[in-house]
Amino acid sequence: MIPRYSRPEMAAIWSPETRFRIWFEIEAHAADAMAELGIIPKAAAAKIWAKGKSAKFDAARIAEIERETK
């Protein structure tokens, strides 16, 4: 998102932190579905939500880890 062409609220939607938050939610919903199918324990799915719900995603640190692991 090009800052000069967008409002802060719109830029926030496309920020890396928001992208990681959405990815977390997709994975957490997948864990819920796997728990319903008996693939993982329901307690594990609940723990994923509990730990990740208030997590802060550090985009710079994630990028650093990605560079180190590729």
Side-chain angles (χ1 to χ4, degrees):
M1 181 75 26
I2 301 171
R4 68 178 179 213
Y5 297 126
S6 63
R7 294 187 175 147
E9 297 85 3
M10 183 60 83
I13 291 172
W14 297 102
S15 73
E17 293 80 8
T18 301
R19 183 178 63 221
F20 295 129
R21 167 68 46 205
I22 291 169
W23 286 354
F24 159 74
E25 290 177 3
I26 290 168
E27 293 293 334
H29 283 295
D32 284 341
M34 287 187 283
E36 287 299 316
L37 293 171
I39 297 171
I40 65 171
K42 289 185 180 188
K47 192 171 189 177
I48 290 168
W49 278 109
K51 287 191 169 235
K53 201 66 166 169
S54 61
K56 301 292 182 211
F57 296 95
D58 182 351
R61 178 65 179 132
I62 292 169
E64 181 181 328
I65 291 168
E66 286 179 339
R67 282 190 301 275
E68 292 173 3
T69 58
K70 284 190 178 182

